[in-house]
Amino acid sequence: MQRLSRPKALTFAHVVGLPGVAQGPQLLARLEGRSSLKEIEPHLFADEDSPVHGEILEFHGPEGTGKTEMLYHLTARCILPKSEGGLGGEVLFIDTDYHFDILRLVTVLEHRLSESSEEAIKHCLGRFFLVYCSSSTQLLLTLYSLETMFCSHPSLCLLILDSLSAFYWIDRVNGGESVNLQESTLKKCSQLLEKLVNEYRLALFATTQSIMQKTSNSAEGPSCAFNRQSDVDVDYRPYLCKAWQQVVKHRIFFSKQGDSKTSNQFSLVSRHLKSNNLKKHFFIIGESGVEFC
Amino acid sequence: MGVLRPGLCPGLTQDMVQLLRSRGIKTVVDLVSADLEEVAQKCGVSYKALVALRRVLLAQFSAFPFNGADLYEELKTSTAILSTGIASLDKLLDAGLYTGEVTEIVGGPGSGKTQVCLCVAAHVAHGLQQNVLYIDSNGGLTASRILQLLQARTPDEGEQVESRRAGFLGGSDTAGALQRIQVVRAFDIFQMLDVLQDLQGAVSQQVSSSSGTLKVVVVDSVTAVVAPLLGGQQREGLALMMQLARELKTLARDLSVALVVTNHMTRDRDSGQLKPALGRSWSFVPSTRLLLDTSQGAGASGSWRVACLTKSPRLPTGFQEMVDIGTWGTPVQSPTLQGDHM
């Protein structure tokens, strides 16, 4: 591990114009920033044309509202080759609760490829990487070890974490009585994620589950502020640590439309936290995955 | 994993551990997240040694990424779809129960959850000739009920008479099927966790049985062991529930089995509507959920149920099928057959 290979030093060198430090086109690709959010999903991010310099987006919602399907959709958009309308980039998917279903991803790809041969599917899947984590400590250590992967895969454009809240109750009990101790590993994960995302210019999509009840119940959650945005009817109670709340740039709430049981219409509200921009989108989920209305 | 101790990994000697501890580095996370140059200076340990140690610890304790193409190859061959033995349920589930996944059957009392589980066990043991592990926490399973179901499946009267005479020592199909169903009783969560861990252990030591591979694990019901832990101010109950959830999902994935759990219904506090028990955290655990309900406005016979698919990773939800639970396992023969040899 050479000290000079740390990206920080190289970014500095690039700015100052030191010769002989750049190591080829891979490095340039990283420094220029990867695809913009708009290229990743034009419907959701119509205003975000600038290349990603480190974005953290949170998908939040109760069970059955389309979060996982949206992740498959974004993954497919990234790993499909450019000739099929994708980005030809790589995706790293971190799965914390054995939720990921590769057969479903393959179905989505099959419906989106113009000629869905085994070869084409394998080619796309070659750009997809999956990691299973079984505890928050393992998640933290895995993030450290993935740093080498981010270095060596410059075409990695998307980092997905499904879900960040999987260890919530277990961590709360392991931390004993001290809230700080309970949240410490997740806090370190959040800080490390922010550092990695900024250094390697990634877009991180992390899901968090709505596991708290709508009505106030101090037994179930920390006594932090409740949702004040009454103009948006969202079922959001922040329960993860403050460190995570601070690194999120976009928060996207998912909900299911329609009262009838057979409706397959969903909606999401996207909120850019700095500009407080709110946007609502509708989508349906079909065989080929998410389709925006 | 956690605390640094001598022998945890190659290169971690007693001296090294002492030196690091004296500078506040006690756990694996502390070492991995520390600035190694600073530590090298403060502890008087060589920087290279620390870097090597860090690399070894990360290799040992972090998770390794799989490539999608390899994963697909592996799952394509190891995933199986098992028919439940009930045509209308198979239709709802897109051919049947998928191995590697947790399927939840939820319904009120008397809605037929245990009956469905017994039917699945009987079908897999008899029709598909695979092993079943039935974890009973309700007391709803008796051998005579399973026998009734199996007998209803073997129309040949002669075969059943043979099996009674042979006392299940002969090579009868019904007897063989009964042997493939292993029943374990677990009346609290710790017993259940033990059962699951024993199973993992048995498989890892490759204790194989001659009659087939384990393909289905039924947990009837998960509410019985978890509900007593929930409620009130206790976080421990929720943590235990999530630990159980993790064990179930890991088991399903690692052993390639179809894991079926049953859950009860409770009333929502605010709306008064019926919903699956165990709360929101549990609702994320199963990949598929089937709701069994007594059909409204059904005819005089109370044996019809409405099965509705309320959660699925691959199908649109909300579809329903009518199922008649009365015809399952009804002994066609005379009552004297019941309770024989049990």
Side-chain angles (χ1 to χ4, degrees):
Chain A
M1 216 156 78
Q2 298 162 344
R3 296 163 59 188
L4 280 178
S5 68
R6 261 188 261 154
K8 265 188 209 150
L10 292 168
T11 315
F12 178 75
H14 176 80
V15 166
V16 170
L18 281 175
V21 178
Q23 266 135 51
Q26 291 182 346
L27 179 57
L28 285 176
R30 211 162 50 231
L31 293 176
E32 279 164 4
R34 308 189 193 241
S35 347
S36 64
L37 282 180
K38 184 172 177 187
E39 284 177 278
I40 296 178
E41 179 35 80
H43 287 98
L44 272 186
F45 306 114
D47 303 329
E48 317 267 350
D49 337 36
S50 52
V52 167
H53 285 264
E55 289 281 340
I56 297 188
L57 303 99
E58 181 182 335
F59 282 0
H60 189 84
E63 173 268 307
T65 48
K67 300 187 293 299
T68 311
E69 276 292 326
M70 187 60 78
L71 293 177
Y72 293 145
H73 168 73
L74 294 169
T75 305
R77 276 198 59 87
C78 271
I79 62 179
L80 281 171
K82 289 205 170 131
S83 53
E84 302 275 0
L87 298 175
E90 292 177 339
V91 172
L92 176 68
F93 196 112
I94 305 177
D95 184 5
T96 58
D97 48 11
Y98 278 106
H99 192 62
F100 181 73
D101 181 7
I102 198 155
L103 300 175
R104 174 64 187 152
L105 179 64
V106 168
T107 311
V108 169
L109 288 172
E110 275 172 356
H111 279 89
R112 294 185 185 200
L113 282 168
S114 53
E115 48 102 3
S116 60
S117 59
E118 278 292 299
E119 273 303 303
I121 302 269
K122 282 234 182 92
H123 205 61
C124 291
L125 288 179
R127 287 193 275 269
F128 178 78
F129 299 92
L130 180 69
V131 187
Y132 291 119
C133 285
S134 60
S135 71
S136 47
T137 314
Q138 193 185 38
L139 174 62
L140 182 61
L141 293 175
T142 305
L143 288 174
Y144 276 112
S145 71
L146 285 174
E147 195 165 352
T148 44
M149 190 174 175
F150 298 146
C151 269
S152 55
H153 287 249
S155 54
L156 190 78
C157 49
L158 204 60
L159 178 60
I160 296 180
L161 178 49
D162 183 23
S163 65
L164 192 60
S165 51
F167 310 119
Y168 178 70
W169 293 114
I170 296 178
D171 283 349
R172 282 200 66 191
V173 164
N174 284 343
E177 286 309 313
S178 144
V179 176
N180 274 342
L181 213 62
Q182 290 167 15
E183 295 181 341
S184 72
T185 318
L186 203 65
K187 181 173 167 193
K188 289 186 193 148
C189 285
S190 309
Q191 290 165 340
L192 180 59
L193 279 169
E194 185 184 36
K195 173 172 167 281
L196 290 173
V197 155
N198 284 331
E199 242 175 59
Y200 298 96
R201 324 231 171 187
L202 303 167
L204 165 69
F205 288 84
T207 58
T208 56
Q209 300 153 337
S210 301
I211 57 179
M212 300 298 178
Q213 297 278 6
K214 265 186 192 160
T215 54
S216 83
N217 182 356
S218 58
E220 279 193 30
S223 54
C224 57
F226 293 120
N227 177 21
R228 289 191 194 101
Q229 296 92 3
S230 51
D231 52 343
V232 182
D233 181 33
V234 286
D235 171 23
Y236 178 61
R237 275 191 56 191
Y239 60 89
L240 289 175
C241 60
K242 277 235 171 66
W244 170 252
Q245 317 288 349
Q246 284 161 357
V247 305
V248 175
K249 290 206 184 137
H250 266 97
R251 193 166 282 130
I252 304 180
F253 303 92
F254 285 74
S255 54
K256 191 157 182 181
Q257 286 294 107
D259 293 324
S260 87
K261 278 191 197 167
T262 47
S263 135
N264 66 341
Q265 246 223 348
F266 299 83
S267 73
L268 59 87
V269 175
S270 165
R271 184 158 170 256
H272 191 281
L273 292 174
K274 279 226 178 81
S275 63
N276 225 355
N277 220 345
L278 278 174
K279 272 209 210 118
K280 193 159 187 175
H281 298 268
F282 295 93
F283 61 96
I284 58 169
I285 298 178
E287 274 286 306
S288 65
V290 166
E291 290 164 43
F292 282 94
C293 301
Chain B
M1 100 174 110
V3 179
L4 288 171
R5 51 171 210 280
L8 185 65
C9 74
L12 196 57
T13 58
Q14 177 75 1
D15 296 333
M16 181 77 94
V17 173
Q18 303 276 29
L19 276 172
L20 291 172
R21 202 168 282 179
S22 66
R23 295 295 168 189
I25 297 185
K26 301 198 188 107
T27 63
V28 178
V29 171
D30 289 339
L31 180 59
V32 165
S33 52
D35 181 351
L36 294 182
E37 290 163 33
E38 216 184 297
V39 173
Q41 276 173 9
K42 279 206 281 186
C43 293
V45 183
S46 115
Y47 176 73
K48 271 198 181 144
L50 282 177
V51 166
L53 192 59
R54 183 182 192 268
R55 197 179 298 139
V56 169
L57 283 173
L58 279 181
Q60 199 165 329
F61 290 111
S62 67
F64 190 75
F66 297 103
N67 181 271
D70 299 333
L71 196 68
Y72 179 50
E73 272 310 309
E74 195 197 312
L75 280 180
K76 233 180 8 174
T77 46
S78 65
T79 306
I81 308 178
L82 303 161
S83 157
T84 56
I86 304 158
S88 41
L89 285 189
D90 282 349
K91 201 166 141 199
L92 270 186
L93 290 170
D94 191 24
L97 300 164
Y98 277 62
T99 57
E101 287 182 8
V102 175
T103 304
E104 179 180 85
I105 301 176
V106 64
S111 54
K113 307 184 288 296
T114 304
Q115 192 72 343
V116 171
C117 289
L118 292 174
C119 211
V120 167
H123 178 74
V124 171
H126 184 267
L128 304 177
Q129 312 255 315
Q130 300 293 335
N131 290 354
V132 177
L133 172 65
Y134 198 109
I135 306 178
D136 184 12
S137 63
N138 257 343
L141 175 139
T142 54
S144 47
R145 277 181 89 177
I146 292 259
L147 184 61
Q148 278 174 17
L149 279 172
L150 289 169
Q151 285 170 340
R153 306 174 61 84
T154 30
D156 187 352
E157 184 81 45
E159 214 179 298
Q160 289 164 41
V161 171
E162 244 341 281
S163 76
R164 277 197 344 272
R165 281 210 200 120
F168 304 110
L169 292 175
S172 151
D173 227 11
T174 319
L178 277 175
Q179 281 181 331
R180 282 185 214 107
I181 303 175
Q182 188 194 352
V183 178
V184 181
R185 299 211 143 90
F187 292 113
D188 68 55
I189 196 166
F190 300 103
Q191 280 179 8
M192 192 172 286
L193 286 167
D194 278 344
V195 168
L196 295 173
Q197 276 157 17
D198 286 346
L199 180 62
Q200 285 267 18
V203 171
S204 66
Q205 283 169 21
Q206 292 178 329
V207 173
S208 60
S209 80
S210 49
S211 55
T213 42
L214 184 66
K215 276 290 164 216
V216 176
V217 174
V218 179
V219 179
D220 180 24
S221 68
V222 77
T223 326
V225 297
V226 174
L229 305 169
L230 300 179
Q233 307 262 341
Q234 308 144 11
R235 298 172 255 134
E236 285 82 5
L238 282 158
L240 274 172
M241 178 177 83
M242 295 319 290
Q243 197 186 329
L244 178 65
R246 194 156 277 280
E247 289 286 333
L248 290 171
K249 294 194 90 157
T250 314
L251 197 84
R253 193 54 76 102
D254 288 348
L255 304 186
S256 268
V257 296
L259 210 128
V260 181
V261 300
T262 62
N263 190 7
H264 299 171
M265 301 280 271
T266 54
R267 231 163 249 291
D268 187 50
R269 193 170 39 189
D270 305 318
S271 65
Q273 296 272 352
L274 282 174
K275 59 171 188 176
L278 303 182
R280 288 181 168 212
S281 299
W282 177 265
S283 71
F284 290 96
V285 173
S287 325
T288 308
R289 187 181 303 117
L290 270 181
L291 174 68
L292 289 178
D293 204 359
T294 27
S295 77
Q296 323 198 323
S301 87
S303 65
W304 282 94
R305 300 285 180 270
V306 177
C308 179
L309 185 69
T310 56
K311 180 174 181 181
S312 168
R314 57 190 62 90
L315 293 173
T317 58
F319 290 102
Q320 298 179 349
E321 286 285 330
M322 296 290 289
V323 186
D324 184 1
I325 65 169
T327 55
W328 308 339
T330 309
V332 183
Q333 308 83 354
S334 66
T336 51
L337 278 176
Q338 296 173 25
D340 260 2
H341 300 287
M342 283 293 117

